[in-house]
């Protein structure tokens, strides 16, 4: 049985007013993550793939966690630095560029990963797949007026 909220989320994700709710959505998602020890997120409730990415802060050296929508691809995770259509890349993209070793948590289970930023032809091919997966990225790119970075994360052994 499919989650009826998934189709609704994909439609809502293309509405410009949704970006104005980003702060509230992030706030609720953080609370759900904390309350359910990483096993529940707002994105996952809508039937979309969600993970918690923990990077190493490029300035502080401290762990930095954020909940993100991801695109499952080739046994890995693809992340888009859309930052809700804001003009700057999100902090996690800078952290991955500085230190590509990170940790992904899925339903509370931690998985070590190594990130690689996609560029050129790889970027273009992945962008097409991502727009099929989450059409809202097109709107976010337009609002941000920048190229949205794309990272592929592959499982590693530590």
């Amino acid at each position: 049985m499919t989650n009826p909220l998934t189709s609704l989320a994909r439609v809502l994700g293309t509405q410009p007013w949704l970006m104005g709710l980003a702060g509230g959505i992030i706030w609720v998602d953080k609370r759900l993550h904390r309350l359910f020890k990483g096993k529940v997120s707002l994105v996952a409730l809508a039937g979309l793939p969600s993970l918690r990415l923990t990077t190493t802060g490029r300035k502080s050296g401290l762990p930095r966690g954020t909940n993100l929508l991801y695109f499952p691809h080739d046994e890995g995770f693809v992340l888009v630095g859309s930052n809700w259509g804001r003009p700057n890349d999100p902090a996690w993209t800078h952290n991955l560029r500085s230190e590509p070793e990170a940790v992904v948590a899925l339903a509370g289970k931690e998985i070590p990963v190594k990130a690689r930023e996609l560029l050129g032809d790889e970027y273009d091919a992945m962008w097409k797949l991502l727009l099929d997966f989450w059409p809202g990225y097109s709107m976010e790119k337009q609002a941000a007026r920048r190229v949205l970075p794309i990272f592929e994360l592959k499982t590693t052994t530590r």
Side-chain angles (χ1 to χ4, degrees):
M1 181 175 191
T2 60
N3 185 336
L5 295 177
T6 306
S7 295
L8 177 62
R10 283 197 166 91
V11 169
L12 291 176
T14 63
Q15 303 304 308
W17 55 264
L18 185 70
M19 291 187 296
L21 300 177
I25 292 169
I26 292 167
W27 184 88
V28 169
D29 202 42
K30 283 181 182 178
R31 294 330 174 264
L32 285 173
H33 184 269
R34 199 172 296 140
L35 183 64
F36 292 99
K37 296 181 174 54
K39 294 188 171 122
V40 175
S41 77
L42 205 52
V43 172
L45 288 174
L48 297 166
S50 169
L51 58 75
R52 181 157 182 88
L53 175 68
T54 301
T55 60
T56 301
R58 73 186 185 289
K59 294 179 183 175
S60 69
L62 298 173
R64 301 292 184 206
T66 188
N67 297 342
L68 299 167
L69 171 69
Y70 77 92
F71 174 53
H73 183 70
D74 285 346
E75 299 181 34
F77 314 93
V78 176
L79 303 176
V80 178
S82 65
N83 206 16
W84 291 85
R86 294 180 181 125
N88 301 317
D89 289 350
W92 63 262
T93 62
H94 301 294
N95 294 343
L96 285 180
R97 288 177 183 131
S98 175
E99 174 52 66
E101 302 269 332
V103 175
V104 161
L106 289 176
K109 180 184 175 202
E110 293 191 345
I111 303 164
V113 294
K114 185 165 187 175
R116 183 174 71 87
E117 189 166 2
L118 302 184
L119 303 168
D121 291 342
E122 276 188 306
Y123 181 100
D124 295 339
M126 184 59 72
W127 182 250
K128 289 176 185 171
L129 295 174
L130 286 164
L131 289 180
D132 285 340
F133 167 72
W134 187 253
Y137 286 139
S138 178
M139 174 190 65
E140 293 177 54
K141 180 180 178 180
Q142 210 171 10
R145 295 185 176 148
R146 62 181 168 84
V147 173
L148 304 183
I150 300 173
F151 287 84
E152 178 182 60
L153 284 62
K154 294 286 186 179
T155 304
T156 64
T157 53
R158 284 193 178 174

